[in-house]
Amino acid sequence: MPTPASGRGFLWLSLVLSSVCVALGSETQANSTTDALNILLIIVDDLRPSLGCYGDKLVRSPNIDQLASHSLLFQNAFAQQAVCAPSRVSFLTGRRPDTTRLYDFNSYWRVHAGNFSTIPQYFKENGYVTMSVGKVFHPGITSNHTDDSPYSWSFPPYHPSSEKYENTKTCRGPDGELHANLLCPVDVVDVPEGTLPDKQSTEQAVQLLEKMKTSASPFFLAVGYHKPHIPFRYPKEFQKLYPLENITLAPDSEVPDGLPPVAYNPWMDIRQREDVQALNISVPYGPIPVDFQRKIRQSYFASVSYLDTQVGHLLSALDDLQLANSTIVAFTSDHGRQSMDLVELVSLFPTLAGLAGLQVPPRCPVPSFHVELCREGKNLLKHFRFRDLEEDPYLPGNPRELIAYSQYPRPADFPQWNSDKPSLKDIKIMGYSIRTIDYRYTVWVGFNPDEFLANFSDIHAGELYFVDSDPFQDHNMYNDSQGGDLFQLLMP
Ligand SMILES: *[C@@H]1O[C@H](CO)[C@@H](O)[C@H](O)[C@H]1NC(C)=O
Ligand SMILES: *[C@@H]1O[C@H](CO)[C@@H](O)[C@H](O)[C@H]1NC(C)=O
Ligand SMILES: *[C@@H]1O[C@H](CO)[C@@H](O)[C@H](O)[C@H]1NC(C)=O
Ligand SMILES: *[C@@H]1O[C@H](CO)[C@@H](O)[C@H](O)[C@H]1NC(C)=O
Ligand SMILES: *[C@@H]1O[C@H](CO)[C@@H](O)[C@H](O)[C@H]1NC(C)=O
Ligand SMILES: *[C@@H]1O[C@H](CO)[C@@H](O)[C@H](O)[C@H]1NC(C)=O
C-alpha cells in the first residue's frame, strides 16, 4: 500500500461531512502567490464513516487513516441534504438548499436561484489554477452540463471515459452471464476499456499534479471519486479482505415502531438492480434476506478499501512531487449515513478560503439571492491547531450552542416510488432537521414548490431522538414531548 502524504499536509476529512485535518505553517496567512498554499479537495460519493479513523474495526482504510492521523478529523459533520446534486451544489457554493433552491437534479442555480460564486471560482479569481477531475459537481443540468465551466475551472473538467459503463451489464453473475447488478466485483482486465473510473481519475490527477509542480501559480485541484456509491463495481481482489463469515449485520436493521412513514426511505435505486430485483423484496419495508444483507455490506466495505488505495496513490504522488508541505488536503463525502463539535458541509467554503489566507466571504444577509459572494456557513479556522505558531488560537465554542441543519423533501406522507428523489414539482413535504450534541429534532411540514415556501403550521410528522440514550434513533420522543413539554425536554 502506498504511504500517503506526510509532512505538513492539511486536511479536512469530512464525512456527511466529517473532517478536517490541518497542520498550518506560519507562512500560510501570507498573500503573495509565491508562498500561497495549494488545495487538494477530495470528494467521495456516499461514503459514511466506515473507516478505521472513525473507529470502524472491520474496514481497512490505511491510507485515509494515515491522512486523518495528521489532520483535523470532524466527528460530527453533517451534509445539508443527503442527495448528490443538492449536497454538492450546497457545499460548493456555501449556500443551503433553501438558497440554491436545488432539491432534485433539474436546475442550474445561476439561472434558477442566484448567480452564486463557488469555492473553485473564488480561488480562480484569486490567482489559482483550478482543475476538476471526476465527479465534483453533479453532472447534467445542475452544473449546466459543463461542471459550471467556465466560471469554476481554468480548464475543461476531466471525466473518466469508463464512467459510462458504471450502470451497464458488466457484472458476471452466478449464471455466467453479464448483468447490471448492485454487487459487482470485477476482474479489471475483463471490463470494457480494461479500467475503472476511479483508477482513471487518479491517473489524471497525478498527471495534473506533475504539471503543477513547476507552475508559478498555486493550484486548486478537486478530485471526485465515484465509489463507494452504488453499484459496488470494484476490483474483485478487495472482496478477499472481507470474508462473508466475518461480516456482521447492521446493528439496528429493524424499522423503529415510532418512525413516521414520511421519514422512511424505500431505497428504490437499489431495487432497480438486476440482482436485487431477483429477490422480489416487498415494497416499501423489505426485509432484505440476511445473506444478501451480508453481501451488500461486504461489497460496500470492499468498495471503501478500493477507494482508499486510490486516495493512497494520489497522496503518494503529492509526497513524491514534494508538494505535500505546501498543499491543504480536504477530504469530504457528499453524504453518507450520519454517524468534538458539530459542523456543516456548508462551512467548507469559508474555511478553505480562510486556511489559504484569502479573504473569508462575508456572512450572507437574509435573503441573499441577489448576493453573489457570501457565506451561510462558518469559518472553522479556529478548529485547526496551528502547530508552528506559539500562540494556539484554538478556542472551542460552547458545544451546546452548536446546531447543524439538514433538510429532505418528500412527495407524500407514505413511502412511494419517488420518495427518495422527488422532482421539485412533486415536493409536497419538507423535512427540516436540527442536530445538536444532545438530540436530533425533525419536523416534516407542508411545502409549496412553486413559491419555495415551507408552512410550519402544517406539521405532517415529527421526530425527536436523544443522542446519548438512543444513539440508533429507535425511540421517537416527539409525541411524548407535545403539549408544552418539548421546550423543557430540549433544555440543556
Ligand atoms: C455571474 O457571475 C459570473 C462570474 O462572476 C459573471 O461572469 C456573470 O456575468 C454573472 N452573470 C450574471 C447574469 O450576473
Ligand atoms: C449554460 O450553457 C449554455 C450552453 O452552453 C450557455 O449558452 C449558457 O450561457 C450557460 N449558462 C450560464 C448561466 O452560463
Ligand atoms: C475473520 O475473523 C477471524 C476470527 O475472528 C479472524 O481470525 C480473521 O483474521 C478474520 N479475517 C479477516 C480477513 O479479517
Ligand atoms: C413476489 O412477492 C409477492 C408478494 O410478496 C408474491 O405475490 C409474488 O408471487 C412474488 N413473485 C415472485 C416472482 O416470486
Ligand atoms: C517543501 O519540501 C521541499 C522538499 O523537502 C523543500 O524543497 C521546500 O522548500 C519545502 N517547502 C516549504 C514551503 O516548506
Ligand atoms: C489576496 O490578494 C487577492 C488578490 O490581490 C485579494 O483579492 C485578496 O483579498 C487578498 N487576501 C487577503 C487575505 O488579503
Side-chain angles (χ1 to χ4, degrees):
M1 296 255 178
T3 326
S6 55
R8 296 185 304 114
F10 292 55
L11 103 131
W12 153 302
L13 235 198
S14 146
L15 288 188
V16 181
L17 178 47
S18 292
S19 76
V20 172
C21 315
V22 167
L24 268 183
S26 49
E27 78 287 358
T28 55
Q29 302 298 309
N31 194 21
S32 81
T33 47
T34 50
D35 53 9
L37 290 165
N38 304 307
I39 308 276
L40 173 60
L41 172 60
I42 303 171
I43 301 173
V44 184
D45 208 346
D46 282 10
L47 177 63
R48 64 183 197 173
S50 292
L51 295 170
C53 57
Y54 282 97
D56 194 303
K57 297 278 188 293
L58 183 66
V59 174
R60 310 280 181 92
S61 52
N63 297 288
I64 296 169
D65 297 349
Q66 166 140 12
L67 176 66
S69 71
H70 48 95
S71 297
L72 176 58
L73 179 75
F74 287 103
Q75 298 288 348
N76 275 303
F78 296 92
Q80 274 49 76
Q81 187 185 327
V83 176
C84 292
S87 177
R88 286 161 191 255
V89 167
S90 169
F91 72 73
L92 289 167
T93 60
R95 310 288 185 105
R96 299 179 190 282
D98 277 344
T99 307
T100 65
R101 294 182 162 173
L102 180 69
Y103 313 106
D104 59 10
F105 296 83
N106 304 324
S107 64
Y108 181 36
W109 76 91
R110 290 188 191 275
V111 293
H112 177 74
N115 195 22
F116 310 137
S117 295
T118 69
I119 303 176
Q121 176 189 345
Y122 188 58
F123 278 83
K124 187 181 168 198
E125 288 167 1
N126 279 279
Y128 278 68
V129 175
T130 61
M131 301 165 287
S132 172
V133 171
K135 183 174 171 183
V136 175
F137 281 98
H138 195 273
I141 184 62
T142 56
S143 52
N144 206 25
H145 301 285
T146 58
D147 300 285
D148 194 42
S149 289
Y151 310 111
S152 287
W153 310 109
S154 305
F155 312 113
Y158 170 84
H159 288 280
S161 57
S162 64
E163 192 185 328
K164 57 180 170 293
Y165 304 110
E166 275 294 277
N167 293 299
T168 62
K169 296 179 190 261
T170 58
C171 322
R172 187 78 56 192
D175 59 359
E177 302 293 314
L178 292 175
H179 297 277
N181 283 345
L182 173 67
L183 311 182
C184 192
V186 297
D187 198 340
V188 177
V189 295
D190 284 347
V191 299
E193 297 187 24
T195 188
L196 294 173
D198 288 345
K199 290 169 80 82
Q200 288 186 290
S201 289
T202 302
E203 286 158 12
Q204 173 71 13
V206 169
Q207 279 179 25
L208 290 172
L209 288 176
E210 284 164 357
K211 282 202 187 112
M212 283 297 125
K213 166 93 181 135
T214 53
S215 161
S217 305
F219 67 81
F220 179 108
L221 172 61
V223 182
Y225 286 115
H226 287 80
K227 293 304 106 178
H229 193 291
I230 61 169
F232 304 124
R233 187 166 172 264
Y234 59 94
K236 64 177 194 216
E237 55 272 24
F238 287 93
Q239 203 178 34
K240 296 201 185 73
L241 293 173
Y242 304 100
L244 270 182
E245 60 273 22
N246 285 28
I247 304 289
T248 54
L249 295 173
D252 193 38
S253 58
E254 303 290 309
V255 179
D257 288 341
L259 186 82
V262 68
Y264 187 75
N265 176 327
W267 30 279
M268 302 312 283
D269 200 349
I270 289 177
R271 293 170 191 274
Q272 287 159 18
R273 315 287 156 165
E274 286 181 43
D275 48 351
V276 179
Q277 265 177 26
L279 298 170
N280 191 26
I281 297 168
S282 93
V283 181
Y285 295 111
I288 298 172
V290 165
D291 286 0
F292 200 77
Q293 288 184 31
R294 266 186 232 285
K295 286 182 181 168
I296 293 175
R297 286 164 67 77
Q298 175 189 47
S299 278
Y300 184 86
F301 299 148
S303 300
V304 171
S305 292
Y306 161 53
L307 160 79
D308 180 75
T309 61
Q310 298 307 310
V311 172
H313 290 310
L314 184 59
L315 296 179
S316 289
L318 203 65
D319 258 357
D320 295 347
L321 293 164
Q322 302 187 338
L323 288 168
N325 61 355
S326 56
T327 302
I328 297 172
V329 180
F331 181 101
T332 183
S333 174
D334 53 352
H335 51 92
R337 300 300 165 254
Q338 81 106 27
S339 76
M340 263 172 72
D341 284 354
L342 293 165
V343 295
E344 302 177 287
L345 279 187
V346 81
S347 296
L348 185 62
F349 191 158
T351 304
L352 279 181
L355 287 172
L358 305 183
Q359 203 151 28
V360 175
R363 270 182 195 290
C364 290
V366 181
S368 65
F369 298 106
H370 59 292
V371 182
E372 291 186 9
L373 181 66
C374 66
R375 65 183 164 97
E376 292 190 42
K378 291 180 181 161
N379 174 6
L380 301 175
L381 208 60
K382 68 172 188 200
H383 289 251
F384 292 82
R385 286 174 196 282
F386 291 74
R387 271 199 222 146
D388 300 349
L389 298 182
E390 300 213 335
E391 186 188 353
D392 184 350
Y394 181 74
L395 302 166
N398 176 356
R400 292 214 143 65
E401 288 169 3
L402 296 169
I403 294 177
Y405 297 87
S406 304
Q407 61 190 105
Y408 207 103
R410 293 285 189 223
D413 286 300
F414 287 87
Q416 61 182 43
W417 68 275
N418 62 344
S419 286
D420 310 349
K421 292 187 248 180
S423 295
L424 177 62
K425 65 174 170 36
D426 297 325
I427 297 174
K428 301 280 179 1
I429 300 162
M430 188 68 77
Y432 286 95
S433 194
I434 62 175
R435 172 63 153 76
T436 71
I437 60 163
D438 297 315
Y439 59 88
R440 174 169 289 291
Y441 177 60
T442 305
V443 281
W444 297 89
V445 303
F447 185 83
N448 176 339
D450 301 320
E451 309 284 331
F452 300 95
L453 276 183
N455 179 357
F456 282 85
S457 48
D458 176 22
I459 296 181
H460 290 236
E463 294 172 81
L464 173 63
Y465 306 99
F466 290 94
V467 173
D468 282 346
S469 57
D470 184 19
F472 294 125
Q473 304 185 1
D474 283 327
H475 305 288
N476 182 5
M477 306 291 284
Y478 180 81
N479 287 332
D480 306 350
S481 67
Q482 296 304 288
D485 294 343
L486 183 62
F487 184 71
Q488 276 180 340
L489 267 172
L490 301 187
M491 285 296 285

